[in-house]
Amino acid sequence: MATRDYSLLGPNARQAVDTGLAAAEWYHTDIPRARMKDLMKRTDQPAIRDTAILFACMALFAGIGIALWPSWWSAPFWLAYGMLYGSAMDSRWHECSHGTAFKTRPYNDWLYQVASFCMVRNPVSWRWSHARHHTDTIIVGRDPEIVAMRPPALFRIVMNVFGIFDAWHGWTRMLYNASGRIHPEEAAYIPEQEQPKVIRVARIWVAIYAATIALALALGSMLPLMVIGLPRLYGAWHHVLTGLMQHAGLAENVTDHRLNSRTVYINPISRFIYWNMNYHVEHHMFPMVPYHRLPDLHDAIKHDLPPANTSMWEAYAEIIPVLRRQLAYEDVFLKRDLPATAKPYREDFHSAALGTAAE
Amino acid sequence: MPWIDACATDDIDQEDLIRFDHDGRTFAIYHSPDGTFFCTDGLCTHEQVHLEDGLVMDYEIECPKHNATFDYRTGEAKRAPACVNLNTYETKVEGGRVFIAV
Ligand code: FES
């Protein structure tokens, strides 16, 4: 059984480069160019509508939460506000990092900055780390965004339901960057000319947190932190719930997103919060398609994909047993069957990397 | 610089591009919304992915891999993760054909 080293500077990173797995050609379903152009087309309207709804709801829930504070009657409103701050902002960060949410670039950039702040992800570093996630999706030693590493760190995943590790990492890295330093792992994927921007943003954020903490001290109340900062913890659960489904339990070190990504049908409220990233195979295959066209893309290519999971329950019913087996034997993974209409997986290409599929 | 006959003007839809390979090199030829033709290197300067499957919007090409954008008239990299400009090449149209100077 191979032991994995997920560090970007470790032996698996070098091996991925040596074997040609890094920056490889990936499988794509064929789509006529005219159809693809239509799917990729940008427009402002859907994201303006969704952003207006998002911020209106945040203002409303936080306003009621403040009005009812410190009564426990405020709790449901904080939970709702937190879910938007600590989870909906994850998908806004993601979509805007691709620049696909709006047609007008400054709108993308503005929402990207706000969402990055809420998620405590430096907007410069994470743009590069996410580019790497797309180049080398779930390639061990290359992808900096693997959530369910093998063997799965279940304690870490559960703690992240409350944002503990991620937010702690975000805040400590913010302080590290604000002190004028770039971490060696960041230096592996952020070009040198971009690095001063990482430091500048970190310093602005430190100033915002300092002002929030100062206000909390002046008021003798944690209320300001309920609005800024803490929702990253108490509202993180939804983005962890949906995000874990993206790749957990599936193959590593392959170059076909059908083997390492998962599409799941989910309820409309979760789709609003997650901005359609439940169509995850589709997103990875064609990252230029805006979130609001992913259902159409799904219809266009589903004949070539493993059947989508029909609900979050069904997805987790398939994920949890595989993660449990990976605790004992980390080479186990889930390989989904393709429909008869699909082009088969290239076994010759992937067999070395695939290891043992779970039955 | 020799002029190379690359394609017919109607081989490229307006606000779109095609790939053109010549002499071991690869290029992207664009048909802009105002009807003018432009030519750049074919590979994105970020990770050398071909731009042929990218999206042309007005005077920009967006890379299909990580959504970097370039002004295809000047080659200027406009959006991360690309930081290096594309090389551009002169074009001319004669007799319904697009020629590039490479
Ligand atoms: S290869 Fe073009 S943006 Fe990365």
Side-chain angles (χ1 to χ4, degrees):
Chain A
M1 180 170 72
T3 305
R4 290 149 171 81
D5 181 344
Y6 289 87
S7 148
L8 302 189
L9 305 172
N12 282 107
R14 282 191 296 278
Q15 199 183 332
V17 173
D18 294 344
T19 56
L21 256 182
E25 281 271 348
W26 285 66
Y27 176 79
H28 290 103
T29 303
D30 291 331
I31 299 193
R33 173 80 183 156
R35 179 88 174 106
M36 200 59 218
K37 269 169 60 182
D38 173 58
L39 288 166
M40 292 191 293
K41 214 178 193 134
R42 302 297 149 74
T43 154
D44 284 333
Q45 194 275 331
I48 288 177
R49 175 202 61 209
D50 288 350
T51 306
I53 293 171
L54 175 66
F55 282 107
C57 288
M58 288 178 77
L60 180 71
F61 294 140
I64 299 175
I66 292 167
L68 297 178
W69 182 261
S71 154
W72 278 102
W73 290 109
S74 67
F77 298 97
W78 290 121
L79 287 179
Y81 171 74
M83 189 165 63
L84 300 178
Y85 184 114
S87 288
M89 284 300 177
D90 167 67
S91 62
R92 274 58 182 175
W93 162 81
H94 173 262
E95 188 75 22
C96 294
S97 81
H98 284 282
T100 41
F102 300 90
K103 182 175 180 8
T104 307
R105 186 165 314 138
Y107 298 171
N108 266 305
D109 294 344
W110 177 79
L111 185 56
Y112 182 64
Q113 293 295 331
V114 174
S116 298
F117 174 78
C118 294
M119 296 311 295
V120 206
R121 293 178 188 151
N122 190 293
V124 184
S125 326
W126 277 74
R127 176 165 288 162
W128 296 93
S129 97
H130 195 63
R132 177 68 79 83
H133 172 61
H134 272 267
T135 304
D136 295 324
T137 311
I138 320 296
I139 304 285
V140 177
R142 293 285 298 177
D143 183 349
E145 295 184 7
I146 300 180
V147 178
M149 298 175 179
R150 302 188 209 167
L154 294 183
F155 176 68
R156 188 188 177 92
I157 292 172
V158 170
M159 294 302 273
N160 266 337
V161 171
F162 306 101
I164 308 287
F165 280 106
D166 281 354
W168 176 253
H169 177 264
W171 285 320
T172 51
R173 185 57 61 85
M174 172 186 77
L175 293 171
Y176 184 91
N177 291 151
S179 72
R181 290 174 293 169
I182 299 289
H183 193 274
E185 287 224 338
E186 291 174 322
Y189 54 79
I190 307 172
E192 222 164 293
Q193 67 268 36
E194 294 287 300
Q195 294 178 6
K197 293 185 195 163
V198 176
I199 292 166
R200 190 168 63 233
V201 172
R203 287 176 176 163
I204 293 169
W205 288 8
V206 168
I208 296 172
Y209 283 115
T212 309
I213 291 167
L215 184 63
L217 291 173
L219 295 174
S221 161
M222 65 184 282
L223 188 54
L225 292 164
M226 289 297 286
V227 180
I228 293 175
L230 290 181
R232 174 65 181 83
L233 305 180
Y234 67 75
W237 65 272
H238 190 279
H239 95 261
V240 176
L241 187 74
T242 47
L244 191 60
M245 298 189 306
Q246 296 176 351
H247 307 285
L250 301 177
E252 290 177 335
N253 293 343
V254 291
T255 54
D256 185 338
H257 294 110
R258 300 175 302 172
L259 281 164
N260 69 10
S261 307
R262 182 182 279 105
T263 287
V264 186
Y265 298 140
I266 60 177
N267 70 75
I269 294 175
S270 288
R271 266 177 59 186
F272 174 80
I273 294 168
Y274 194 28
W275 251 13
N276 282 345
M277 265 316 116
N278 51 306
Y279 295 103
H280 213 64
V281 183
E282 292 81 351
H283 167 66
H284 267 280
M285 238 189 228
F286 300 106
M288 304 185 65
V289 174
Y291 76 95
H292 51 86
R293 297 304 305 277
L294 287 178
D296 298 325
L297 175 61
H298 174 67
D299 285 340
I301 67 171
K302 65 180 179 218
H303 64 277
D304 200 34
L305 310 183
N309 291 96
T310 52
S311 66
M312 287 200 224
W313 287 115
E314 199 213 38
Y316 275 98
E318 129 183 326
I319 293 168
I320 290 169
V322 180
L323 296 191
R324 284 180 57 179
R325 288 179 63 185
Q326 285 177 352
L327 288 174
Y329 185 65
E330 61 187 81
D331 284 350
V332 170
F333 70 100
L334 190 74
K335 185 172 165 199
R336 280 96 38 88
D337 289 334
L338 289 168
T341 45
K343 275 211 188 114
Y345 298 127
R346 286 196 47 193
E347 300 291 345
D348 54 325
F349 202 63
H350 293 129
S351 55
L354 283 178
T356 318
E359 293 83 46
Chain B
M1 194 71 71
W3 286 101
I4 307 294
D5 183 350
C7 59
T9 48
D10 54 12
D11 284 345
I12 320 176
D13 291 344
Q14 222 155 339
E15 222 177 3
D16 203 1
L17 81 161
I18 60 164
R19 171 183 183 146
F20 176 66
D21 295 337
H22 174 74
D23 207 10
R25 296 167 68 192
T26 188
F27 303 94
I29 305 178
Y30 309 83
H31 190 174
S32 74
D34 68 12
T36 318
F37 291 85
F38 296 89
C39 179
T40 69
D41 278 338
L43 300 180
C44 176
T45 59
H46 174 228
E47 285 183 358
Q48 309 300 307
V49 168
H50 211 290
L51 296 167
E52 64 180 323
D53 292 326
L55 178 65
V56 176
M57 281 177 292
D58 298 330
Y59 295 97
E60 290 184 353
I61 171 70
E62 184 175 308
C63 174
K65 189 70 184 176
H66 311 107
N67 314 74
T69 55
F70 302 89
D71 184 328
Y72 57 78
R73 297 169 300 184
T74 60
E76 185 189 353
K78 306 280 282 187
R79 182 177 187 279
C83 303
V84 176
N85 297 345
L86 284 170
N87 291 318
T88 57
Y89 305 91
E90 264 185 78
T91 64
K92 69 174 181 183
V93 174
E94 269 175 22
R97 308 285 307 171
V98 181
F99 293 81
I100 60 175
V102 296

